[in-house]
C-alpha cells in the first residue's frame, strides 16, 4: 500500500465500490458496503476482517491500476487488518510491540526454546539429551511432569485469556448496540460460515492464490491446518487423561488413541501449513500487504515446525535422537502458545466476530425488506 493514511485510502476506495457494486456477490464485504457513503474506523475494522484476501475483486475490478482510480481493495483491507489487530490486542501495551516489530513471534519462540533447553539441562544432563530411552515415563525423565504441565498450561491459559479479551475489545468496536437476541438469531448462520469456511469459495470459484485460475486449494489447506491443530490438541488432552486417570505415563504405544490423534493431527497440520506457505510464496504481491505477508509466513512456519517436530518425536522416540527432538518440540509448542495472542492466530477469532456481525446485518436487512415487500403486495 502506498497511501500515507490507510484510513483515508480505505474511505476513498470504499466510496468508489459503494457507487459501483460490480463485485456484489463475491463476498460479504459488498453487502456491508452497499448503500453506505461514509465509513467510520469501526466500519473499516469490521470489513477488513470480513475480507479474506481471495483477490476476486482485484481480478474483476475495472478501476484497478493502471486505471487512475487505482482501486486495490484487497491490499487496502490487508493493511487495515494489521491495524485492527494492533488496536485491540490485550494487554494494550502488546499493540505497541506488534506495531514496532514483526519479529515478536520468532523472538518469543526462540526464548521459549531457550527456556525449555535450560530446564531440560538443569533437571538432567547433556548426555541424557542424546541417550536412547523408550521406557514408560521417558518423556518425564527429560522434563519432569510439573515443569512440562506448568509451561504448557501457563502459556495456553495466557493465550486463551489474551485472545478472548482482544476479541471482546474488537467486538465492542465493530458491533455497538447489538443485542443478545440478535446474536442468538444470527449464530447458526455465522457458525456454519465459520466452520465450513464458506466465503473462501470467493463467491463460488475459489481464491486467486497465485495468478492461476481460482481454485479451492486455500480453503482445503485451511481446513487441513485448523483440523490438524484441533486433533493435535485433542491428542494432548487424551494423553493427559491417560496419565491422570489411567496412571499410564508417555510414551504410549503406536495404535493408542493419543498417538493416533497426534499422528493424524500432525500430518494434516504440517501438510496444510506447508501448502499455505507454498501459496504465499507464489502469491501476487500487488493485492497484498508486506506486513500481513510477514505475519502469515511467521505463523505458518511455526505451525509447520510444531507439526513436523511432533511427528519426528513419534518416529524417532526409541532412538538417541529422542531427547533433542522432544526438547525442540516442547520449546516450539510453548513458544506457539506464548505467541498466539500477537500472531496471525488472531485472524480466526476476529474473522469469526466479523462473520457474526455480517449474519446479524443480514437478519436486519431481511427484517426491513420483509415489511416493504408486504407493502408492495397488491
Ligand atoms: S472492486 Fe472495483 S469493480 Fe469491484 S465493486 Fe469495487 S470498484 Fe467496483
Ligand atoms: S479480496 Fe475477496 S474477500 Fe476481500 S473484498 Fe475482495 S472479493 Fe471480498
Amino acid at each position: 500500500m502506498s497511501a500515507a493514511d490507510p484510513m483515508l485510502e480505505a474511505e476513498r476506495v470504499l466510496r468508489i465500490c459503494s457507487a459501483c457494486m460490480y463485485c456484489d456477490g463475491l463476498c460479504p464485504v459488498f453487502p456491508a458496503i452497499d448503500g453506505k457513503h461514509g465509513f467510520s474506523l469501526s466500519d473499516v475494522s469490521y470489513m477488513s476482517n470480513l475480507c479474506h484476501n481471495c483477490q476476486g475483486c482485484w481480478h474483476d475490478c475495472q478501476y484497478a491500476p493502471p486505471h487512475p482510480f487505482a482501486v486495490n481493495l484487497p491490499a487496502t483491507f490487508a493493511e487495515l487488518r494489521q491495524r485492527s489487530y494492533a488496536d485491540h490486542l490485550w494487554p494494550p501495551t502488546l499493540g505497541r510491540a506488534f506495531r514496532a516489530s514483526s519479529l515478536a513471534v520468532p523472538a518469543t519462540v526462540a526464548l521459549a526454546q531457550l527456556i525449555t533447553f535450560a530446564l531440560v539441562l538443569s533437571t538432567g544432563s547433556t548426555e541424557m539429551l542424546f541417550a536412547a530411552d523408550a521406557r514408560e515415563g521417558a518423556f518425564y525423565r527429560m522434563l519432569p511432569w510439573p515443569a512440562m504441565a506448568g509451561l504448557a498450561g501457563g502459556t495456553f491459559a495466557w493465550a486463551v485469556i489474551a485472545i478472548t479479551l482482544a476479541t471482546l475489545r474488537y467486538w465492542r468496536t465493530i458491533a455497538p448496540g447489538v443485542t443478545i437476541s440478535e446474536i442468538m438469531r444470527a449464530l447458526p448462520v455465522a457458525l456454519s460460515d465459520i466452520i465450513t469456511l464458506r466465503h473462501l469459495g470467493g463467491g463460488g470459484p475459489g481464491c486467486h492464490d497465485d495468478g492461476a485460475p481460482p481454485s479451492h486449494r486455500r480453503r482445503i489447506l485451511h481446513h487441513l491446518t485448523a483440523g490438524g491443530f484441533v486433533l493435535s490438541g485433542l491428542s494432548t488432552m487424551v494423553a493427559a487423561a491417560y496419565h491422570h486417570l489411567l496412571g499410564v505415563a508417555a510414551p504410549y504405544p503406536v495404535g493408542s488413541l493419543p498417538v493416533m490423534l497426534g499422528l493424524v493431527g500432525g500430518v494434516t497440520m504440517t501438510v496444510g501449513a506447508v501448502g499455505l506457505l507454498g501459496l504465499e510464496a507464489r502469491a501476487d504481491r500487488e493485492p497484498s500487504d508486506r506486513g500481513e505477508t510477514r505475519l502469515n509466513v511467521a505463523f505458518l512456519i511455526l505451525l509447520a515446525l510444531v507439526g513436523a517436530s511432533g511427528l519426528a518425536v513419534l518416529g524417532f522416540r526409541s532412538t538417541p535422537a529422542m531427547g533433542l527432538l522432544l526438547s525442540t518440540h516442547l520449546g516450539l509448542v510453548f513458544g506457539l502458545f506464548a505467541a498466539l495472542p500477537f500472531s496471525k492466530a488472531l485472524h480466526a477469532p476476529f474473522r469469526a466476530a466479523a462473520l457474526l456481525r455480517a449474519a446479524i446485518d443480514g437478519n436486519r436487512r431481511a427484517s426491513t425488506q420483509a415489511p416493504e415487500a408486504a407493502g408492495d403486495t397488491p
Side-chain angles (χ1 to χ4, degrees):
M1 280 292 305
S2 52
D5 184 341
M7 188 57 205
L8 287 178
E9 173 63 3
E11 276 214 83
R12 183 188 77 82
V13 169
L14 289 171
R15 279 174 202 269
I16 297 171
C17 287
S18 170
C20 167
M21 287 304 287
Y22 175 75
C23 297
D24 194 16
L26 281 185
C27 75
V29 166
F30 294 93
I33 294 173
D34 196 12
K36 271 186 172 287
H37 303 294
F39 298 91
S40 63
L41 183 59
S42 158
D43 293 329
V44 170
S45 192
Y46 158 54
M47 290 174 197
S48 67
N49 283 287
L50 266 188
C51 168
H52 56 83
N53 203 359
C54 77
Q55 304 185 1
C57 62
W58 165 253
H59 284 264
D60 290 358
C61 186
Q62 61 265 40
Y63 302 121
H67 190 283
F69 285 1
V71 171
N72 188 343
L73 202 50
T76 307
F77 280 149
E79 190 167 6
L80 286 160
R81 263 193 302 278
Q82 310 303 300
R83 178 170 172 172
S84 76
Y85 300 156
D87 285 351
H88 298 96
L89 283 180
W90 186 90
T93 42
L94 262 187
R96 282 197 284 278
F98 181 90
R99 282 190 182 94
S101 172
S102 58
L103 294 177
V105 169
T108 304
V109 176
L111 183 64
Q113 198 74 77
L114 276 176
I115 291 172
T116 308
F117 272 109
L119 278 173
V120 167
L121 292 175
S122 70
T123 55
S125 62
T126 317
E127 291 78 49
M128 243 177 68
L129 265 182
F130 304 102
D133 184 357
R135 293 165 297 152
E136 185 181 327
F139 291 174
Y140 303 122
R141 277 189 288 283
M142 197 61 58
L143 185 61
W145 186 86
M148 199 186 290
L151 276 171
T155 50
F156 186 71
W158 145 251
V160 171
I161 292 168
I163 290 177
T164 304
L165 293 176
T167 308
L168 287 174
R169 295 184 77 212
Y170 177 64
W171 178 252
R172 277 201 294 271
T173 296
I174 66 164
V178 166
T179 63
I180 298 286
S181 67
E182 282 185 306
I183 292 175
M184 297 316 288
R185 265 202 311 279
L187 215 47
V189 171
L191 281 177
S192 160
D193 288 350
I194 293 163
I195 293 166
T196 62
L197 304 176
R198 181 164 71 95
H199 298 296
L200 261 76
C207 301
H208 297 255
D209 289 308
D210 49 7
S215 79
H216 289 276
R217 279 173 299 173
R218 184 136 72 101
R219 187 179 186 180
I220 294 166
L221 291 167
H222 263 84
H223 275 302
L224 287 176
T225 310
F229 187 81
V230 170
L231 287 178
S232 301
L234 272 178
S235 161
T236 308
M237 280 190 246
V238 174
Y242 270 43
H243 186 92
H244 293 289
L245 303 180
L246 305 181
V248 188
Y252 301 113
V254 176
S256 64
L257 190 56
V259 170
M260 292 317 290
L261 285 170
L263 179 63
V264 178
V267 169
T268 49
M269 186 165 82
T270 308
V271 168
V274 170
L276 288 170
L277 274 170
L279 293 184
E280 276 289 352
R282 297 192 299 275
D284 180 358
R285 297 282 165 240
E286 210 174 341
S288 60
D289 175 76
R290 237 181 321 165
E292 181 164 78
T293 302
R294 280 198 292 265
L295 207 61
N296 291 348
V297 169
F299 188 54
L300 290 171
I301 288 177
L302 183 53
L303 286 180
L305 287 175
V306 168
S309 61
L311 293 173
V313 171
L314 184 58
F316 298 97
R317 61 188 181 164
S318 51
T319 73
M322 185 274 277
L324 199 57
L325 288 172
L326 180 67
S327 308
T328 306
H329 177 63
L330 289 174
L332 287 167
V333 171
F334 303 150
L336 171 69
F337 289 164
L340 280 177
F342 46 92
S343 73
K344 187 57 197 258
L346 280 178
H347 162 69
F350 278 38
R351 180 157 171 77
L355 285 170
L356 178 58
R357 157 88 197 267
I360 290 168
D361 285 354
N363 286 345
R364 285 177 177 173
R365 277 194 298 276
S367 64
T368 53
Q369 279 161 9
E372 284 169 22
D376 290 346
T377 309

